[in-house]
Amino acid sequence: MDSSSLKSVLNGYRNSANSHLSEYEPLLLVVSPLLALAVALILHSALRVVSDNGLKPTVLALLMNFLKLVPGVKSYIDKEKQKVVDKLNSGGKSKREGWRTELPSAGLGAAVIERMKDEKAKDAVWQGKCSGTIYIGGSESEGHFSVINEACSMFAHTNPLHLDVFKSVVRFEAEVVAMTASLLGGKDKSQICGNMTSGGTESILLAVKSSRDYMKSKKGITRPEMIIAESAHSAYDKAAQYFNIKLWRVPVNKEFQADVKAIRRYINRNTILIVGSAPGFPHGIIDPIEELGELASSYGICLHVDLCLGGFVLPFARKLGYPIPPFDFSVKGVTSISADVHKYGLAPKGTSVVLYRNHDIRKHQFVAVTEWSGGLYVSPTIAGSRPGGLVAGAWAAMISLGEEGYLENTKQIMDVSKRIQKGTKDIPELFIIGRPDMTIVAFGSDVLDIFEVNDMLSSKGWHLNALQRPNSIHICVTLQHVPVVEEFLRDLRESVKMVRENPGPISGGLAPIYGAAGRMPDRVMVQDLLVNYMDSAY
């Protein structure tokens, strides 16, 4: 076909189209494509919400939002939510009556210590009764407390931000990091580096932030995503919100470990990070770190291992002969690790370590500012000023205990954990969640409301952790439990017996709230309850 013939055909199509469109209003011809584009964008957005959250949660959220438009419904829901918040606070507002809101006109001076002792006396009895919380215990606990308290006091005035002034604290931090790296570094420790932080959450936040920026520089990822198991710590949710990262929570497998096959299905070109826990906080079970490492390596993405609980137990448990699977930098693919010194490291509260496989990754943790009128500024962690006293306390704890001290402590708490597992298995109404690898024992029941059992234990002075999916409770064994393990098992048996013979919530217990929260399909409402509770608590 020559050019004149083609032009003739095109003119024919144009005349036909103009003739057909002449029947419509010009404004309609302009608006219709815009409306079609708007509908397409709305559908795309809706599909993305469904993709992110799932069909059922999306439909439930839409239904709840619609119901809230009905006159009176929203106010009724708000009133009911406030009732739950008040119940959770258990009279917290009345307890705050008389709290100081202004500075005293004249200071008390040293007499303030007596006031503080009076307030401390009102705390709950925690000695041996808390899950986790207090990790120092045993016959030598007073001596250990004295050591770390004196170390903290000696360096209370210091701030590692000033590298040139407080050289002693800078050295302490470097040595705490190096000693931790030697525990978790595998064969090649030469490139492993890190920093001290205020706790496991900050260590996780920094590892996520560093992974995000490292993957951006390496792969150009600008819409980052990370994938975690349901059992992974909630600090990853916080990191996702803080650093604008899309988070995928994947169900665990039948052994309550991270499901590697399920995680693989969520990996795409925007994935920056997958996560393994050693062990996971809920059930004390170590994820398959080696398989996760192979997965991360094959896709060229980061793998963070959460050793906040296990960092100062697993290396020693392995030396003691316990069957501990690989969990640290000896696993190919692991790019970062978090380990809390203030848990089983027996350091003062507010001390943790974040480690990286090499300096190229860690450099993305730092913030450097060049255009500030206050001068050149660089900071390694989220905090600028940091308490040097805590750094010194952590160093003192590690040096005073040494490898022999940690080995002895690990032997004691692992033995107690095994005794609790056996004692729990001997109670027919209870079952243990999975196969605990360390010092956390989680248990549930198919015949009793486990939250009522928890309330009964609370009435006996125990402070355990309530879990969900499945409903269960756990005890995190510390040195505090070594002398009271038989007392705990006796109280557990009695609590189960009392709930079995007299089922139903006990006065003042929180079992109905825990149970209702677990069954509530509108998770946004549960989220609102938690936020309102926290707001009321402060």
Side-chain angles (χ1 to χ4, degrees), residues 117-353:
K117 288 179 179 178
D118 291 341
E119 291 301 320
K120 184 181 179 183
K122 299 173 187 176
D123 289 346
V125 177
W126 52 264
Q127 289 83 350
K129 291 285 189 175
C130 294
S131 171
T133 311
I134 307 294
Y135 292 80
I136 301 171
S139 58
E140 299 179 359
S141 61
E142 286 190 17
H144 188 75
F145 271 122
S146 296
V147 167
I148 62 174
N149 286 344
E150 185 169 351
C152 290
S153 176
M154 191 186 308
F155 292 89
H157 62 287
T158 65
N159 180 357
L161 181 67
H162 302 286
L163 302 173
D164 56 331
V165 179
F166 304 114
K167 297 177 182 178
S168 55
V169 171
V170 173
R171 174 178 175 173
F172 292 154
E173 177 172 6
E175 292 190 358
V176 167
V177 171
M179 288 187 288
T180 307
S182 73
L183 292 175
L184 308 173
K187 293 181 180 179
D188 182 16
K189 307 179 181 70
S190 60
Q191 285 295 309
I192 295 172
C193 54
N195 290 92
M196 287 190 67
T197 71
S198 63
T201 293
E202 187 183 358
S203 291
I204 289 170
L205 289 174
L206 288 172
V208 172
K209 187 266 183 192
S210 302
S211 300
R212 182 198 68 176
D213 294 353
Y214 174 67
M215 293 303 290
K216 182 179 180 181
S217 70
K218 186 178 178 183
K219 288 188 171 184
I221 296 174
T222 57
R223 296 176 63 181
E225 302 181 13
M226 64 177 170
I227 310 164
I228 66 174
E230 279 184 347
S231 54
H233 199 276
S234 52
Y236 298 99
D237 295 79
K238 186 181 286 189
Q241 292 183 34
Y242 283 6
F243 304 134
N244 195 25
I245 299 171
K246 184 175 180 178
L247 178 67
W248 296 102
R249 267 194 182 272
V250 179
V252 293
N253 62 22
K254 291 185 293 185
E255 287 75 36
F256 295 92
Q257 295 175 303
D259 189 327
V260 179
K261 291 182 180 179
I263 289 173
R264 179 184 285 110
R265 289 195 291 270
Y266 280 84
I267 293 177
N268 59 45
R269 64 181 182 178
N270 290 320
T271 304
I272 59 164
L273 176 70
I274 59 177
V275 169
S277 303
F281 169 81
H283 312 121
I285 297 171
I286 297 174
D287 287 333
I289 304 301
E290 278 191 310
E291 294 179 48
L292 291 170
E294 291 175 5
L295 186 63
S297 294
S298 64
Y299 282 93
I301 57 179
C302 294
L303 167 60
H304 179 76
V305 178
D306 183 352
L307 276 161
C308 289
L309 270 168
F312 285 83
V313 173
L314 294 181
F316 305 109
R318 185 165 52 190
K319 285 192 175 184
L320 291 169
Y322 286 94
I324 305 297
F327 58 86
D328 53 17
F329 283 117
S330 63
V331 176
K332 181 183 177 182
V334 174
T335 52
S336 58
I337 284 175
S338 52
D340 286 358
V341 200
H342 66 201
K343 289 189 172 75
Y344 292 105
L346 306 190
K349 291 298 180 185
T351 52
S352 178
V353 170

Side-chain angles (χ1 to χ4, degrees), residues 24-44:
Y24 298 94
E25 290 286 338
L27 181 62
L28 185 62
L29 294 176
V30 174
V31 171
S32 294
L34 295 176
L35 287 173
L37 178 61
V39 170
L41 290 173
I42 292 170
L43 286 173
H44 176 74

Side-chain angles (χ1 to χ4, degrees), residues 491-506:
D491 285 350
L492 178 59
R493 288 191 293 269
E494 289 180 0
S495 297
V496 167
K497 182 174 182 289
M498 294 174 73
V499 172
R500 184 184 68 235
E501 295 175 352
N502 300 283
I506 68 173

